[in-house]
Amino acid sequence: MDDERDTALAQAVRLREDGQAARARERLLDLAERYPEDAEIAYQTAWAHDVLGLEAEAVPFYERALTGSGLSADDRHGAFLGLGSTYRVLGRYDRARATLRRGLEEFSGDAALTAFLAMTSYNLGESRDAVAGLLKALAATSGDPRVQGYRRAIEYYADHLDETA
């Protein structure tokens, strides 16, 4: 391990977490230049850009993070979610859908990825898929006892929205 890299990365993350995203971004850009193959640095750099509303600039860092190795499962999940969401915000819906589906291949049934995929489906005019995704996420994650009382029915109808008697 590179102690200098680890210390600099920890400091930059702390700056972002403390609401100093612009300063964090500067430090992370420097680290990304010094360690271009480092997936963790790429992910943190993407995140800092997103926090600042610099979505287009975040994309190459998210892509680099996902093509690299060494991300923890949580960070890899965050990179899929961040990149998919960023593509959606940028109006690149087909790329968003592909990214979020790739994320769901690795994190099967994940409610957050499912919710962002539902939003993307809506943007693509696929309202049935959007509603089905949201219903499945609701049924799987809701702590509301009434929702849980109807969980099986909600999950069934998520895949049979047009079914009538």
Side-chain angles (χ1 to χ4, degrees):
M1 281 291 186
D2 183 338
D3 289 339
E4 181 182 333
R5 172 237 180 244
D6 294 346
T7 300
L9 180 58
Q11 289 172 345
V13 169
R14 197 168 19 263
L15 285 170
R16 188 198 69 239
E17 290 171 345
D18 290 344
Q20 298 180 55
R23 286 186 59 208
R25 177 180 169 266
E26 290 172 15
R27 291 189 183 187
L28 288 162
L29 284 170
D30 178 57
L31 282 170
E33 188 173 309
R34 289 175 33 212
Y35 301 93
E37 303 301 317
D38 191 306
E40 185 179 12
I41 290 172
Y43 172 59
Q44 293 297 333
T45 306
W47 192 347
H49 281 84
D50 257 354
V51 167
L52 292 166
L54 302 172
E55 287 87 359
E57 291 88 343
V59 168
F61 293 103
Y62 278 129
E63 290 173 342
R64 189 184 311 171
L66 287 170
T67 57
S69 61
L71 283 183
S72 68
D74 282 346
D75 285 352
R76 190 155 173 84
H77 174 271
F80 276 119
L81 191 61
L83 181 57
S85 173
T86 296
Y87 278 145
R88 191 188 76 77
V89 167
L90 294 172
R92 297 168 67 183
Y93 304 127
D94 289 330
R95 298 288 304 261
R97 178 175 46 200
T99 300
L100 294 164
R101 284 181 176 166
R102 275 183 47 221
L104 283 165
E105 287 172 12
E106 285 190 37
F107 302 95
S108 181
D110 180 80
L113 289 165
T114 299
F116 277 87
L117 181 58
M119 288 185 268
T120 302
S121 296
Y122 171 82
N123 293 129
L124 287 164
E126 300 167 352
S127 59
R128 181 177 295 114
D129 290 342
V131 170
L134 290 175
L135 287 172
K136 289 175 183 178
L138 173 70
T141 62
S142 177
D144 185 307
R146 291 183 179 160
V147 170
Q148 288 307 304
Y150 290 97
R151 180 176 180 171
R152 286 182 39 190
I154 292 168
E155 289 173 336
Y156 175 82
Y157 285 116
D159 292 325
H160 302 91
L161 287 167
D162 297 318
E163 189 173 292
T164 60

